[in-house]
Amino acid sequence: MSETTTAPTELPVYMLRDGFDPAPELGALRETERVGRARSPFGIDVWVLTRHDDVRAALADSARFSNAAPVRGVPGMPKMDEATIRRMRAGNPLLVDPPEHTRLRRFLTPEFTVRRMRRLEPRIHEIVDERLDAMQRSGPPADLIAEFALPVPSLVICELLGVPPEDRAGFEHRTGRLLNMSIPVDERMRLQAESRAYMSGLVAREQREPGEAMLGMLVREHGDDLSTDELIGIANILLIAGHETTSNMLGLGTLALLRHPDQLALLRDDPDAVGPAVEELLRWLSIVHTGVVRTTTTEVEIGGTRIPAGELVVFALPAANRDPGATTDPDRLDVTRGEVGHLAFGHGVHHCLGAPLARLEMRVAYPALLRRFPGLAEVPGTAAFRSFHVVYGLTELQVTW
Amino acid sequence: MSDAETATVRVIADRDVCIGAGMCVYADDTVFDQDDDGLVVLLVEEPPDGEGVRRAVQTCPSGALRLAGR
């Protein structure tokens, strides 16, 4: 039992950071070996792709780089029977390839169109303004993560899905620990089961009485096409992905701007600068270290390195997004860069479903925060970068204004 | 110069491949739209050869867009 509860003490190279930057050794790997080897936090050896072109090509190639990894023993993971594993994976579009992926994703694409997002925009402004009002009422200092960066996306996804906002503390806590690789795998498995159990309660309620939000829509319009396990899986991944990612962009992005005041001023003062600035923050911060691990379906060759069939491959997104072969002066934060083609949302058929929502939330939240509190400043020494997490970010950031 | 400015390109959109990411609509909403299912709809089949159209083709995550003859 004792070895099943050990947490990783060393992070793989693709999760190493130095403040806002990928660790120097990750950049060095990209410039020298191009394709690296690392041991994942699960204790499994993986190949690491680092260059922009390699990562982009592999992300687009779901035939040779499969998301439907065969279930294999992970050190420390409790034994589970096939049926349990199948149930836990059901409905997660990130764990299947086309055509199954296409089937699942198409239930959701109508909910994330550009037009839908435009309709949602006024409500996002309201949610952002309510949080800013609350911060203003309590007065400085405030933890920007707990008071703004986390609640804004959480409340938005609650409303979109039809999850009761009063359940926020519970699911935020679960997700935060579930994605924390320093927490032993058996506890994280337990949290995953808890999170599914919570969602199965919500899905059962919607099945009795479908509401107006996305869960109700899925039950009403696709109740015959989706199994209950799939509904639970879809809702669960939307809830987790919907708050944990954008919240870290809001927190870490704000700190990045506070430490680059000239860039902050551009974003705050010019509405036309906001869109490109959000893209640049996505590129420069690349908070998702790798996305979902892929399995090679055949032998592949990348820059002279042969990777046999059946091997695990991860894509080092921060390295790819700072590749001098793809972006000029890539380590400089330049909100006027105006280049597109970053891989922060991935690429290929698994490109982030919620990207339009994330973009909208950031385009509303950053300028609203910076205009409400023109004197916003970090309390020195309080920014706590978190390393052991699937999504990079801050656990705390005290600010004054 | 004027020839280059008025040149058009023929865009081909494969709706079977499209995943509804909407990146093309962000790139140029005078050429690209999404239907109720989120899938790409071409508003103009032969738009002027412009930066937005090229960006849409280049950044389309699923590879559903291409320019004819290229």
Side-chain angles (χ1 to χ4, degrees):
Chain A
M1 194 60 203
S2 64
E3 80 257 38
T4 67
T5 54
T6 49
T9 47
E10 261 182 63
L11 287 170
V13 65
Y14 55 81
M15 285 176 77
L16 293 180
R17 306 270 183 153
D18 180 7
F20 299 113
D21 301 325
E25 46 267 56
L26 185 57
L29 177 64
R30 180 191 59 223
E31 299 311 313
T32 57
E33 293 165 70
R34 182 166 168 179
V35 178
R37 292 288 271 159
R39 177 154 295 178
S40 84
F42 292 110
I44 298 173
D45 289 330
V46 297
W47 299 84
V48 187
L49 304 195
T50 56
R51 293 200 183 168
H52 186 277
D53 289 354
D54 292 344
V55 169
R56 192 175 193 273
L59 280 166
D61 188 352
S62 59
R64 297 198 304 160
F65 296 88
S66 165
N67 283 54
V71 179
R72 60 180 89 199
V74 168
M77 190 172 94
K79 289 249 179 301
M80 287 183 298
D81 59 86
E82 279 279 324
T84 309
I85 293 170
R86 233 188 349 264
R87 199 160 57 241
M88 288 183 76
R89 295 167 64 104
N92 185 342
L94 288 169
L95 300 180
V96 286
D97 297 321
E100 180 56 14
H101 170 264
T102 315
R103 182 184 82 91
L104 285 175
R105 183 156 178 147
R106 288 207 170 166
F107 294 123
L108 302 169
T109 41
E111 306 300 315
F112 291 93
T113 60
V114 175
R115 201 173 285 116
R116 270 292 171 91
M117 294 303 117
R118 283 186 190 132
R119 280 216 298 274
L120 199 60
E121 188 168 345
R123 183 61 193 127
I124 296 194
H125 275 283
E126 281 173 18
I127 288 173
V128 165
D129 287 343
E130 282 161 18
R131 298 314 304 178
L132 293 173
D133 292 345
M135 277 175 69
Q136 203 157 25
R137 276 196 306 274
S138 323
D143 177 5
L144 189 80
I145 308 305
E147 303 303 324
F148 186 74
L150 190 50
V152 166
S154 271
L155 291 165
V156 170
I157 198 70
C158 277
E159 194 158 309
L160 209 60
L161 284 178
V163 168
E166 58 273 21
D167 294 352
R168 202 161 70 77
F171 72 71
E172 283 172 357
H173 176 77
R174 269 194 303 275
T175 306
R177 294 181 66 78
L178 186 62
L179 301 180
N180 183 341
M181 290 295 163
S182 71
I183 288 175
V185 69
D186 53 354
E187 185 183 339
R188 284 192 285 117
M189 298 297 290
R190 201 164 54 238
L191 287 161
Q192 196 179 342
E194 271 178 39
S195 136
R196 278 192 76 91
Y198 166 72
M199 197 49 85
S200 73
L202 292 188
V203 165
R205 190 196 65 188
E206 297 284 341
Q207 284 172 327
R208 284 194 302 273
E209 203 178 328
E212 289 307 306
M214 206 184 295
L215 288 180
M217 179 285 293
L218 285 169
V219 167
R220 253 195 327 271
E221 292 181 21
H222 304 295
D224 297 335
D225 314 313
L226 284 164
S227 70
T228 298
D229 281 338
E230 285 179 326
L231 274 169
I232 294 165
I234 284 180
N236 213 22
I237 189 86
L238 289 176
L239 180 60
I240 290 173
H243 73 280
E244 190 58 39
T245 47
T246 308
S247 74
N248 284 294
M249 273 306 298
L250 290 179
L252 199 59
T254 302
L255 182 64
L257 292 167
L258 289 171
R259 293 193 182 173
H260 296 80
D262 52 330
Q263 306 286 305
L264 183 150
L266 287 168
L267 186 154
R268 182 193 57 210
D269 300 336
D270 177 6
D272 289 337
V274 175
V278 165
E279 299 307 309
E280 174 66 351
L281 287 166
L282 283 161
R283 180 195 72 83
W284 197 68
L285 296 169
S286 294
I287 57 163
V288 176
H289 301 293
T290 65
V292 174
V293 66
R294 303 309 206 260
T295 306
T296 50
T297 58
T298 179
E299 182 182 275
V300 295
E301 202 233 285
I302 296 162
T305 303
R306 278 181 194 283
I307 304 177
E311 294 280 300
L312 297 181
V313 183
V314 299
F315 307 133
L317 300 178
N321 276 338
R322 301 273 194 112
D323 185 345
T327 309
T328 313
D329 199 4
D331 289 325
R332 194 161 57 87
L333 176 70
D334 175 2
V335 299
T336 64
R337 195 180 287 277
E339 288 171 26
V340 287
H342 67 70
L343 301 168
F345 287 122
H347 185 64
V349 296
H350 295 281
H351 180 271
C352 177
L353 174 73
L357 177 62
R359 288 191 161 104
L360 172 59
E361 291 183 50
M362 284 185 269
R363 286 174 188 187
V364 171
Y366 289 129
L369 170 70
L370 299 174
R371 283 177 202 151
R372 178 72 69 99
F373 303 123
L376 193 74
E378 63 172 305
V379 177
T382 65
F385 292 91
R386 66 182 204 191
S387 304
F388 279 96
H389 215 274
V390 170
V391 183
Y392 192 58
L394 300 170
T395 51
E396 184 184 349
L397 174 61
Q398 294 288 335
V399 292
T400 56
W401 56 87
Chain B
M1 230 11 238
S2 63
D3 275 357
E5 279 165 18
T6 55
T8 59
V9 283
R10 199 157 83 78
V11 182
I12 298 168
D14 186 341
R15 286 167 49 90
D16 291 332
V17 171
C18 178
I19 56 163
M23 300 276 285
C24 53
V25 186
Y26 283 116
D28 191 338
D29 62 5
T30 65
V31 177
F32 303 97
D33 197 2
Q34 289 168 289
D35 66 11
D36 287 343
D37 292 327
L39 301 184
V40 62
V41 174
L42 285 179
L43 299 174
V44 194
E45 284 197 13
E46 295 201 22
D49 188 359
E51 196 211 325
V53 172
R54 284 172 180 278
R55 197 165 66 226
V57 172
Q58 195 200 335
T59 59
C60 173
S62 64
L65 297 177
R66 63 188 178 88
L67 299 179
R70 289 170 223 211

